[in-house]
């Protein structure tokens, strides 16, 4: 990697190429001879590919593609134009085209001689290019091509070239060496491990270069090397002593007041912090101090200071435990954020009141924005325990709240708002105090503080609900209603209405109903008499109130709906488009709230207005389009089948929105989309060709996701009414399960799949289609859904995929999977998800060995563990549905999967043992008698785990014992004595009915009931004792779901005249009546069981001796007597 002698300067001033071998020289001459006669024409072709004339450019692009279809022809032309064309614009554009066209497939189709010539030409072009912009472009391209080659091959000359060029007396060549090296690091990192000392020496040398551009390139290359080696902890540690040299690049730039270079350096540190934050550990204190100094240096430009904040926050996000131990960071970061939030430009209050935007109307990032963003991210990353104690330090938020300067009070309230989500647990512990402090500021003398207080309350309503609503509605709602009277400040009024929206989203209707008269009266007053920004929030608040209180809104319908219909008719100007869209939202939500019978009288008039709006040519930015899309769906939900005639109007534009293509632009790692466009977001996606950074137009994707969600609504509500669209919607939506650019689209697509199948089943029952159609539809859906459930990268979306798989199998039944191989694919998918969860769990078990491990890290990992448990539970549900619908195939295959599912049962984690046993329970229950083949393996295991220390594991195991009793036949009979012994042990335990144990005990009682019903012969003489034990334990009050089944089983025993009971009625009828008296009117019985109890009681009165009935009834407590009398007389 090193060269003893620096490359010489050519005597004619043209830079020579370092390290040219005779073989390379021959390759270059071969390439030159191959293309000399064609190069000028090719140069012109490339030039025309940049033409502003669309037709000329299109023809040139076609010709270019034809040439590139023959790599052996295209490669020499590209390389020669890159190195020899006199037009710098053509050379620069050619560098881009080489980067795009020289793929691995393209390169492998070249002959070895041409491959060597391409490599040689690239290095020669880097060496000889005189124009800096073009040279950097060529260097980047060379690095990309080198990385591509070295991914599965080699380029022996590239590292010697980099090493020699780094020592060149020519600064541009030294810079180019680093540009190429930075591109190589990520692909060649594993190959570089053996050369760490030499690479370190190389980077250290160039970091100290006298030229600014060279040092910055070296900083980037060093950062890339660190990021590439981030998974090699031992090697990262050897590079940490380079940090002072890296920091020196930044300090040198600051010392000469070159803030552009300083910002570039800080951005490099941020990139390293994102991928390898612990690289900075040994130098964390000086790094933190330096960042703090930059933030507080008011002589620096805001952009520079804000980047220093970003560096600190990034470190906190990527290594929260490490930063929680950093004293200077903890002492300064919250005060820094609050100080940033004090920088609020004074504005004319009339101007402030005329807009509904946030406090800072400037499109540029403000100090207030940075401070708020900092607090939000710190609370979520460092954790509430740390941030709450820091923020509520006596000299910070508490002192700021009482400060005479309004900006301090504004900052304190904004701080509470920003940290509420991350500090929810801590805030709930002092909720009364926090709510009171905020509510008092509703009366603040400064309107912007009042606005901030309302904003904080609204945020707390979201983040701390429903606790806040349940406990402090009497303080919050009257205060919000009162502040709506601030007619001098429409923006305060508007925000008060917005806070009502937040309040209702986490509020039970019973809490809100007592406030309806005053609240709706005030909101209607704002709607009718307020300025537009007030009207826009008031109408949404009315909609949210209706959505919350549902049928209780009927009494206000006649007062409010005429006003809303009038607004639909009158608000037709461009400035009222948003208000009209919100009016559509409001009437549709009210329609759902009051129900079809109330809404139907106005529905046609409203839908005619919707239809008229849809038929106009709306501007692309018209907000009505989005509101209309959702309003149609809500009206469909309100009207049900009455909506079907409007589907021909609704579906075409809806499907057009669903079909929106992702407006995607692939960007380089160093590139960012236009920061001025808030509609553009940059995301990292996983494609078939690897990880890519892309810029997306978010508004188009949001419209697409909304349209997909509306399809879920239509199919869920209208079912067979949607039959004309089932096939086309399925073909459109199934591919969106893999829509990589927007997870909301994938989530909506997953939710739609079971609804499509359900609609097809309903259509088949109505004679609209046959079983063949349903089978084809299921195959199309399940094939992709099974694949997507495995491939989905986001756990929350993966959970939706698994839920959709479970519901699709349930809805489609045996027609879902047409072959044993398809069932195997589904089992393989569940196995893969299970294995991934297990791997993550195993990784989490190693976390306590990390030196930064602390209590908040443990809480974060616990939350991840709960999320993974949800995934496993959903796997169990999918397995249950698969087994019930495809019994024979699962019975044939499941032995192959016993080991992987059994691994869960053997876990040290109780939740995993519980889920693993539940999966076995589901398989045995779904297979019914086909599961007897697995009894010899599973029954002993269930018996063992029914004595597990964990109640949740015991509960799952004894439930499984009941399943074995029901379907196990002779396999169970051979172990019935051991099972009965275990059941008796659980039921007779002194703590059997304790809160932690009652569900396990209730399931043991349920298992006993099944043994009595299905294994009477095996019980033999023990039957009487078993029935007695069952009766003396009942009723079941812990596991109410299981209680419904067990109490139903008791009814069955009585209906068939169980001899143990009926032979001794004086002994057992009082017990039975006592059980009935306790369970009637509770969740431990459903309507069907209640009716059976009524019939049984009537029969008892008619058939039992009068004295037995009378004495049994008289022995009941008064409340039980009243309940049974009421039941008999109902």
């Amino acid at each position: 990697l090193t060269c003893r002698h620096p490359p010489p300067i050519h005597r004619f001033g043209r830079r020579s190429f370092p390290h040219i071998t005779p073989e390379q020289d021959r390759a270059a001459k071969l390439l030159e001879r191959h293309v000399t006669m064609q190069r000028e024409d090719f140069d012109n072709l490339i030039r025309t590919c940049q033409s502003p004339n669309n037709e000329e450019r299109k023809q040139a692009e076609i010709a270019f593609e034809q040439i590139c279809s023959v790599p052996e022809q295209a490669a020499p032309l590209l390389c020669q134009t890159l190195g020899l064309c006199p037009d710098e614009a053509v050379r620069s554009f050619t560098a881009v085209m080489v980067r795009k066209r020289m793929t691995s497939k393209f390169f492998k189709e070249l002959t070895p001689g041409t491959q060597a010539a391409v490599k040689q030409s690239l290095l020669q072009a880097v060496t000889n290019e005189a124009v800096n912009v073009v040279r950097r472009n060529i260097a980047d391209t060379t690095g990309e091509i080198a990385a591509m080659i070295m991914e599965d091959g080699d380029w022996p000359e590239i590292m010697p070239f980099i090493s020699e060029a780094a020592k060149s007396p020519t600064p541009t060549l030294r810079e180019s060496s680093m540009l190429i090296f930075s591109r190589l690091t990520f692909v060649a990192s594993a190959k570089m491990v053996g050369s760490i000392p030499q690479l370190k020496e190389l980077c250290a040398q160039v970091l100290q270069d006298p030229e600014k551009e060279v040092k910055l390139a070296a900083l980037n290359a060093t950062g890339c090397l660190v990021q590439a080696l981030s998974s090699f902890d031992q090697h990262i540690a050897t590079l940490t002593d380079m940090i002072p040299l890296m920091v020196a690049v930044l300090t040198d730039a600051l010392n000469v007041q070159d803030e552009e270079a300083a910002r570039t350096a800080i951005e490099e540190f941020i990139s390293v912090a994102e991928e390898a934050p612990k690289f900075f550990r040994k130098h964390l204190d000086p790094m933190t101090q330096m960042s703090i100094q930059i933030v507080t240096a008011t002589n620096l430009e805001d952009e520079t200071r804000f980047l220093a904040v970003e560096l600190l926050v990034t470190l906190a996000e990527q290594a929260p435990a490490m930063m929680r131990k950093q004293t200077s960071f903890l002492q300064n970061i919250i005060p820094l954020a609050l100080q940033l939030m004090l920088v609020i430009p004074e504005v004319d209050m009339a101007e402030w009141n005329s807009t509904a935007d946030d406090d800072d109307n400037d499109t540029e990032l403000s100090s207030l924005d940075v401070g708020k963003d900092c607090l939000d991210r710190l609370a979520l990353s460092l954790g509430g325990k740390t941030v709450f104690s820091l923020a509520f330090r006596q000299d910070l938020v508490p002192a700021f709240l009482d400060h005479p300067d309004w900006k301090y009070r504004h900052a304190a309230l904004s701080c509470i708002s920003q940290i509420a989500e991350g500090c929810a647990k801590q805030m709930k512990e002092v909720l009364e105090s926090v709510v009171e402090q905020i509510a008092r500021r509703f009366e603040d003398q400064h309107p912007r503080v009042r606005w901030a207080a309302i904003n904080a309350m609204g945020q707390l309503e979201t983040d701390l609900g429903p606790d806040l609503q349940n406990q402090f509605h009497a303080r919050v709602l009257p205060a919000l209603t009162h502040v709506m009277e601030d007619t001098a400040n429409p923006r305060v009024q508007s925000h008060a209405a917005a806070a009502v929206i937040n309040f209702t989203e986490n509020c039970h209707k019973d809490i809100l109903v007592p406030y309806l008269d005053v609240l709706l009266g005030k909101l209607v007053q704002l709607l009718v008499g307020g300025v537009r920004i007030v009207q826009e929030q008031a109408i949404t608040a009315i909609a949210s109130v209706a959505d919350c209180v549902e049928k209780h809104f009927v009494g206000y319908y006649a007062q409010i709906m005429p006003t809303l219909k009038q607004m639909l008719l009158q608000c037709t100007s461009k400035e009222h488009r948003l208000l009209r869209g919100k009016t559509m939202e409001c009437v549709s939500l009210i329609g759902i709230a009051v129900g079809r019978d109330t809404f139907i009288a106005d529905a046609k008039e409203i839908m005619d207005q919707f239809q008229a709006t849809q038929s106009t040519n709306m501007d692309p930015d018209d907000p009505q389009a989005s509101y209309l899309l959702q309003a149609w769906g809500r009206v469909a939900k309100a009207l049900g089948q009455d909506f079907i005639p409007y589907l021909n109007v609704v579906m075409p534009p809806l499907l057009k929105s669903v079909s929106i293509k992702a407006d995607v632009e692939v960007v380089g790692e160093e590139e960012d989309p236009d920061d001025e466009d808030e509609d553009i977001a940059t995301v990292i996606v996983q494609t078939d060709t690897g990880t890519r950074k892309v810029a997306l137009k978010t508004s188009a994707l949001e419209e697409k996701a909304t349209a997909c969600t509306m399809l879920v609504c239509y199919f869920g509500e209208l079912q067979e009414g949607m039959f004309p669209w089932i096939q086309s919607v399925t073909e459109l939506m199934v591919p969106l399960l893999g829509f990589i650019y927007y997870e909301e689209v994938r989530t909506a697509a997953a939710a739609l799949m079971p609804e499509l199948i359900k609609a097809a089943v309903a259509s088949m029952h109505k004679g609209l289609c046959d079983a063949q159609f349903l089978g084809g539809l299921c195959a199309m859906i399940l094939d992709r859904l099974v694949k997507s459930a495995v491939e989905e990268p986001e756990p929350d979306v993966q959970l939706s995929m698994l839920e959709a798989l479970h519901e699709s199998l349930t809805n489609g039944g045996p027609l879902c999977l047409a072959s044993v191989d398809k069932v195997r694919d589904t089992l393989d998918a569940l196995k893969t998800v299970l294995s991934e969860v297990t791997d993550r769990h195993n990784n989490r078990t190693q976390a306590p060995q990390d030196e930064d491990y602390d209590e908040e890290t443990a809480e974060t990992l616990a939350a991840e563990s709960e999320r993974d448990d949800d995934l496993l539970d959903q796997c169990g549900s999918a397995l249950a549905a698969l087994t019930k619908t495809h019994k024979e195939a699962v019975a044939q295959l499941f032995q192959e999967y016993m080991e992987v599912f059994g691994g869960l049962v053997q876990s040290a984690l109780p939740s995993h043992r519980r889920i693993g046993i539940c999966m076995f329970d589901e398989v045995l229950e779904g297979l019914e008698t086909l599961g007897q083949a697995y009894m010899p393996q599973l029954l002993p295991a269930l018996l063992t785990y029914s004595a597990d220390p964990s109640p949740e594991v015991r509960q799952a195991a004894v439930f499984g014992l009941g399943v074995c009793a029901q379907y196990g036949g002779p396999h169970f009979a051979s172990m019935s004595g051991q099972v009965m012994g275990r059941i008796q042990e659980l039921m007779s335990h002194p703590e059997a009915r304790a809160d932690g144990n009652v569900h396990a005990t209730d399931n043991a009682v349920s298992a006993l009931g099944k043994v009595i019903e299905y294994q009477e012969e095996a019980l033999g003489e023990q039957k009487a004792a078993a029935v007695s034990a069952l009766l003396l334990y009942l009723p079941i009050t812990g596991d109410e779901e299981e209680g419904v089944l067990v109490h139903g089983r008791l009814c069955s025993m009585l209906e068939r005249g169980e001899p143990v009971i009926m032979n001794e009625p004086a002994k057992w009828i009082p017990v039975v009546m006592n059980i009935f008296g306790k369970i009637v009117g509770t969740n431990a019985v459903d309507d069907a069981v209640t009716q059976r109890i009524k019939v049984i009681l009537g029969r008892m009165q008619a058939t039992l001796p009068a004295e037995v009935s009378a004495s049994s009834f008289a022995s009941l407590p008064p409340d039980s007597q009243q309940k049974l009398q009421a039941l008999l007389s109902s």
Side-chain angles (χ1 to χ4, degrees):
L1 295 177
T2 59
C3 179
R4 294 180 182 178
H5 306 289
I9 302 294
H10 195 279
R11 68 178 61 189
F12 296 110
R14 190 175 179 86
R15 281 167 285 175
S16 67
F17 177 68
H19 207 78
I20 299 179
T21 65
E23 292 79 8
Q24 292 168 343
D25 190 49
R26 285 195 296 274
K29 290 177 180 176
L30 172 68
L31 188 64
E32 187 173 354
R33 285 198 302 273
H34 185 68
V35 300
T36 298
M37 299 303 294
Q38 308 173 53
R39 186 180 61 75
E40 187 173 334
D41 291 339
F42 189 72
D43 290 354
N44 289 328
L45 179 65
I46 294 292
R47 186 178 292 107
T48 309
C49 284
Q50 304 172 77
S51 171
N53 184 298
N54 289 337
E55 187 59 33
E56 288 181 2
R57 186 176 66 253
K58 183 177 179 180
Q59 293 302 318
E61 287 170 350
I62 292 172
F64 179 78
E65 291 297 332
Q66 290 175 340
I67 292 172
C68 288
S69 66
V70 184
E72 190 69 18
Q73 173 191 10
L77 289 168
L78 285 166
C79 290
Q80 286 294 304
T81 295
L82 182 67
L84 299 177
C85 179
D87 187 335
E88 67 181 69
V90 171
R91 296 198 305 276
S92 183
F93 187 72
T94 303
V96 175
M97 300 311 294
V98 170
R99 190 187 314 183
K100 289 184 177 181
R101 298 299 171 186
M102 198 78 70
T103 63
S104 178
K105 180 177 181 296
F106 183 103
F107 190 77
K108 288 176 180 177
E109 292 181 11
L110 301 177
T111 62
T114 304
Q115 288 180 351
V118 166
K119 295 176 184 178
Q120 179 68 15
S121 295
L122 288 172
L123 298 183
Q124 191 74 54
V126 171
T127 304
N128 292 334
E129 180 57 58
V131 179
N132 279 338
V133 173
V134 180
R135 175 185 51 78
R136 291 179 184 126
N137 208 349
I138 295 174
D140 287 338
T141 294
T142 302
E144 292 277 359
I145 302 299
M148 177 268 294
I149 293 171
M150 295 181 69
E151 192 163 9
D152 53 8
D154 201 8
W155 187 345
E157 300 86 4
I158 192 66
M159 286 309 299
F161 171 82
I162 290 172
S163 181
E164 292 180 28
K167 297 179 175 66
S168 169
T170 307
T172 54
L173 197 52
R174 300 199 299 272
E175 181 190 9
S176 296
S177 72
M178 293 294 98
L179 295 176
I180 297 171
F181 179 60
S182 65
R183 299 282 177 168
L184 272 180
T185 53
F186 292 98
V187 172
S189 56
K191 299 178 180 180
M192 293 178 176
V193 166
S195 305
I196 296 294
Q198 296 95 322
L199 296 174
K200 179 179 174 182
E201 180 182 349
L202 174 68
C203 291
Q205 165 200 325
V206 190
L207 281 169
Q208 301 173 75
D209 198 280
E211 297 292 331
K212 176 188 72 173
E213 298 297 341
V214 179
K215 284 193 293 187
L216 289 174
L219 181 61
N220 174 253
T222 306
C224 290
L225 178 63
V226 171
Q227 294 172 69
L229 296 174
S230 59
S231 58
F232 301 93
D233 291 342
Q234 68 277 24
H235 299 301
I236 283 285
T238 66
L239 298 175
T240 56
D241 56 359
M242 295 181 65
I243 293 176
L245 294 176
M246 298 169 70
V247 171
V249 177
L250 170 58
T251 55
D252 288 349
L254 290 171
N255 288 337
V256 297
Q257 300 180 347
D258 187 347
E259 290 198 46
E260 183 177 356
R263 288 193 288 271
T264 300
I266 298 172
E267 287 170 345
E268 296 298 344
F269 285 123
I270 292 171
S271 296
V272 175
E274 287 174 341
E275 296 296 327
K278 294 185 180 181
F279 168 70
F280 296 111
R281 183 195 301 280
K282 292 183 179 179
H283 297 269
L284 195 55
D285 191 63
M287 282 286 297
T288 302
Q289 295 288 355
M290 177 191 68
S291 299
I292 292 170
Q293 288 173 10
I294 294 174
V295 177
T296 56
T298 55
N299 61 306
L300 295 177
E301 296 172 13
D302 282 349
E303 189 178 353
T304 306
R305 297 168 59 230
F306 296 166
L307 276 174
V309 175
E310 179 64 27
L311 174 57
L312 291 171
V313 175
T314 301
L315 285 167
E317 288 179 323
Q318 301 303 320
M322 179 178 77
M323 297 306 289
R324 281 193 291 266
K325 296 179 179 179
Q326 225 292 317
T327 305
S328 63
F329 170 78
L330 294 180
Q331 289 176 343
N332 288 282
I333 191 63
I334 302 298
L336 276 179
L338 286 169
Q339 288 298 319
L340 288 168
M341 292 161 65
L342 294 176
V343 183
I344 308 174
E346 295 283 356
V347 296
D348 178 74
M349 290 309 296
E351 179 185 345
W352 182 80
N353 269 306
S354 67
T355 176
D357 294 334
D358 203 349
D359 268 300
D360 186 8
N361 297 324
D362 197 338
T363 55
E364 293 184 5
L365 197 64
S366 71
S367 182
L368 176 62
D369 295 330
V370 173
K372 290 167 68 173
D373 180 66
C374 172
L375 288 171
D376 179 35
R377 292 163 64 189
L378 288 173
L380 292 172
S381 56
L382 295 178
K385 183 178 179 181
T386 298
V387 171
F388 185 80
S389 61
L390 293 173
F392 279 81
R393 205 173 69 190
Q394 199 58 41
D395 62 321
L396 295 179
V397 168
F400 278 38
L401 280 171
D402 293 323
H403 200 282
D405 187 337
W406 73 268
K407 293 181 180 180
Y408 282 79
R409 303 194 298 277
H410 184 281
L413 291 164
S414 298
C415 175
I416 293 172
S417 173
Q418 293 303 112
I419 69 174
E421 182 181 1
C423 299
K425 180 180 177 181
Q426 289 70 30
M427 282 198 179
K428 286 180 180 180
E429 294 172 358
V430 292
L431 188 54
E432 182 176 7
S433 173
V434 174
V435 168
E436 184 58 35
Q437 290 181 71
I438 296 172
R440 281 195 295 111
R441 289 299 162 194
F442 283 14
E443 306 292 335
D444 195 277
Q445 61 185 0
H446 200 291
R448 296 184 71 173
V449 177
R450 296 199 293 276
W451 184 96
I454 296 166
N455 188 67
M457 189 68 78
Q459 193 63 53
L460 263 62
E461 290 163 359
T462 297
D463 295 330
L464 307 185
D467 293 11
L468 184 147
Q469 285 86 337
N470 292 341
Q471 298 175 40
F472 302 107
H473 53 88
R475 180 69 177 97
V476 175
L477 284 174
L480 287 173
T481 306
H482 176 69
V483 82
M484 289 180 196
E485 298 174 2
D486 187 0
T487 54
N489 293 285
R491 190 159 170 181
V492 174
Q493 290 180 296
S494 172
H495 219 51
V500 171
I501 300 169
N502 293 56
F503 190 95
T504 59
E505 288 174 351
N506 270 318
C507 181
H508 192 275
K509 59 186 175 184
D510 292 344
I511 288 175
L512 200 57
V513 166
Y515 299 94
L516 286 180
D517 286 349
V518 175
L519 182 59
L520 285 174
K522 181 55 67 177
L523 289 171
V524 171
Q525 181 181 335
L526 296 181
L527 178 62
V528 174
V531 299
R532 181 164 48 84
I533 65 168
V534 176
Q535 290 177 306
E536 288 170 355
Q537 292 298 347
I539 198 167
T540 304
I542 292 170
S544 297
V545 169
D547 188 41
C548 176
V549 300
E550 299 174 336
K551 290 290 185 181
H552 294 283
F553 198 85
V554 171
Y556 305 90
Y557 181 86
Q559 172 194 356
I560 294 175
M561 185 56 76
T563 301
L564 299 177
K565 291 195 297 182
Q566 197 66 25
M567 292 178 67
L568 282 176
L569 286 169
Q570 295 179 349
C571 296
T572 55
S573 65
K574 186 171 184 177
E575 67 175 10
H576 286 101
R577 293 185 309 183
L578 178 59
L579 179 59
R580 193 167 188 273
K582 286 174 174 279
T583 306
M584 296 176 191
E585 175 185 55
C586 188
V587 295
S588 60
L589 281 169
I590 289 175
I592 294 175
V594 300
R596 175 193 175 280
D597 293 343
T598 302
F599 184 58
I600 192 68
D602 297 298
K604 184 180 185 307
E605 184 179 352
I606 288 169
M607 288 191 289
D608 286 346
Q609 283 293 313
F610 287 4
Q611 189 171 349
T613 303
Q614 186 168 287
S615 63
T616 62
N617 292 321
M618 288 185 280
D619 294 337
D621 63 343
D622 192 334
Q624 291 181 98
S626 175
Y627 282 103
L628 185 58
L629 203 64
Q630 299 176 67
W632 277 122
R634 295 193 196 97
V635 172
K637 186 171 183 177
L639 298 182
Q641 298 297 310
D642 291 331
F643 185 81
I644 290 176
Y646 287 88
L647 286 174
N648 287 324
V649 175
V650 172
M651 288 301 291
L654 180 67
L655 296 180
K656 182 179 179 182
S657 294
V658 171
S659 303
I660 291 173
K661 303 295 183 184
D663 190 355
V664 177
E665 178 187 355
V666 178
V667 295
E669 288 300 319
E670 75 287 353
E671 296 178 85
D672 281 310
D674 187 359
D675 292 335
E676 298 293 322
D677 193 344
E678 294 181 358
D679 194 28
I680 300 295
T682 304
V683 296
I684 305 297
V685 297
Q686 189 67 39
T687 69
D688 293 339
T689 57
T691 302
R692 293 288 181 268
K693 181 180 179 182
V694 298
L696 300 168
K697 187 172 183 180
T698 55
S699 61
L701 296 182
E702 288 166 1
E703 180 182 343
K704 185 182 185 77
T706 299
C708 293
T709 302
M710 288 302 101
L711 284 176
V712 180
C713 174
Y714 287 128
F715 277 90
E717 290 296 325
L718 304 179
Q719 294 193 26
E720 69 273 14
M722 296 297 296
F723 177 73
W725 288 275
I726 287 181
Q727 185 69 34
S728 59
V729 169
T730 301
E731 293 172 355
L732 185 60
M733 290 296 295
V734 165
L736 296 184
L737 289 167
F739 188 76
I740 60 176
Y741 302 111
Y742 208 56
E743 63 184 60
E744 283 83 357
V745 171
R746 301 197 301 277
T747 300
L752 181 62
M753 295 303 111
E755 298 299 342
L756 287 168
I757 293 175
K758 190 175 182 180
V761 170
S763 300
M764 184 177 71
H765 292 159
K766 295 286 187 179
L768 300 174
C769 64
D770 56 16
Q772 183 177 359
F773 176 87
L774 176 60
L777 188 84
C778 288
M780 188 189 311
I781 289 172
L782 269 298
D783 281 355
R784 180 67 209 207
L785 189 56
V786 168
K787 180 182 178 183
S788 296
V790 174
E791 296 177 347
E792 174 55 51
E794 295 294 331
D796 289 342
V797 183
Q798 189 176 41
L799 187 65
S800 299
M801 298 282 184
L802 290 169
E803 184 177 356
L805 176 60
H806 158 224
E807 293 177 359
S808 296
L809 289 166
T810 300
N811 293 345
L815 291 175
C816 278
L817 303 173
S819 67
V820 173
D821 286 340
K822 296 296 183 183
V823 174
R824 186 191 300 278
D825 291 342
T826 308
L827 287 169
D828 283 341
L830 297 177
K831 173 184 173 182
T832 300
V833 176
L834 189 153
S835 299
E836 291 172 351
V837 170
T838 303
D839 289 343
R840 288 198 292 268
H841 166 69
N842 292 336
N843 291 335
R844 284 194 293 269
T845 61
Q846 304 300 314
Q849 300 174 20
D850 190 288
E851 61 183 294
D852 292 323
Y853 184 82
D854 59 11
E855 183 180 343
E856 298 211 21
T857 303
E859 290 181 4
T860 301
L861 295 177
E864 292 177 6
S865 182
E866 288 181 14
R867 178 203 66 196
D868 278 348
D869 284 354
D870 290 340
L871 281 173
L872 290 177
D873 277 323
Q874 203 55 247
C875 282
S877 297
L879 178 62
L882 180 67
T883 306
K884 289 174 183 175
T885 55
H886 299 78
K887 291 181 175 61
E888 291 78 8
V890 174
Q892 175 185 334
L893 298 172
F894 194 69
Q895 185 63 49
E896 301 173 26
Y897 301 88
M898 285 283 282
E899 183 177 350
V900 66
F901 288 104
L904 278 181
V905 178
Q906 298 168 14
S907 171
L909 201 63
S911 63
H912 283 197
R913 296 201 300 277
R914 186 261 305 167
I915 294 168
I917 293 170
C918 284
M919 288 180 173
F920 286 143
D921 293 348
E922 298 284 12
V923 169
L924 290 173
E925 189 172 34
L927 292 180
E928 299 178 343
T929 55
L930 291 176
Q932 290 182 8
Y934 297 101
M935 291 289 175
Q937 293 168 275
L938 296 182
L939 182 52
L942 293 171
L943 185 61
T944 298
Y945 284 100
S946 65
D948 194 274
S950 170
E952 63 176 318
V953 177
R954 294 200 303 276
Q955 178 183 349
V958 293
F959 177 87
L961 292 177
V963 173
C964 291
Q966 184 172 357
Y967 298 114
H971 297 281
F972 179 87
S974 63
M975 295 187 67
S976 61
Q978 296 175 63
V979 172
M980 288 299 293
R982 180 57 47 76
I983 291 174
Q984 178 61 32
E985 179 184 328
L986 293 170
M987 291 174 60
S988 61
H989 193 279
E991 298 294 321
R993 289 187 182 268
D995 288 344
N997 298 321
V998 66
H999 282 71
T1001 310
D1002 287 351
N1003 277 264
V1005 174
S1006 178
L1008 175 61
K1010 291 180 180 178
V1011 174
I1012 293 170
E1013 182 172 349
Y1014 298 105
Q1015 296 289 338
E1016 182 176 5
E1017 184 176 342
L1019 281 176
E1021 296 179 355
Q1022 292 185 8
K1023 181 183 176 183
V1027 173
S1028 299
L1030 178 70
L1031 293 171
L1032 293 174
Y1033 182 89
L1034 296 179
I1036 283 179
T1037 56
D1039 188 343
E1040 293 178 335
E1041 183 179 352
E1042 198 64 28
V1044 173
L1045 301 176
V1046 176
H1047 299 140
R1049 190 159 285 116
L1050 172 61
C1051 290
S1052 297
M1053 293 171 66
L1054 293 164
E1055 288 162 351
R1056 66 174 180 261
E1058 171 56 51
V1060 174
I1061 300 173
M1062 302 314 296
N1063 289 346
E1064 296 184 86
K1067 177 179 179 181
W1068 293 115
I1069 295 305
V1071 175
V1072 169
M1073 283 199 172
N1074 182 55
I1075 295 169
F1076 286 167
K1078 289 181 177 178
I1079 62 177
V1080 166
T1082 72
N1083 291 331
V1085 290
D1086 58 15
D1087 291 342
V1089 173
T1090 300
Q1091 289 305 308
R1092 292 172 71 187
I1093 291 173
K1094 178 181 177 180
V1095 172
I1096 290 167
L1097 288 173
R1099 187 180 302 156
M1100 285 181 178
Q1101 285 182 328
T1103 59
L1104 289 174
E1107 63 273 15
V1108 172
S1109 295
S1111 61
S1112 298
F1113 190 80
S1115 67
L1116 298 176
D1119 63 325
S1120 293
Q1121 292 182 14
Q1122 291 173 4
K1123 286 199 292 182
L1124 294 185
Q1125 284 176 335
L1127 176 63
L1128 286 169
S1129 61
S1130 63

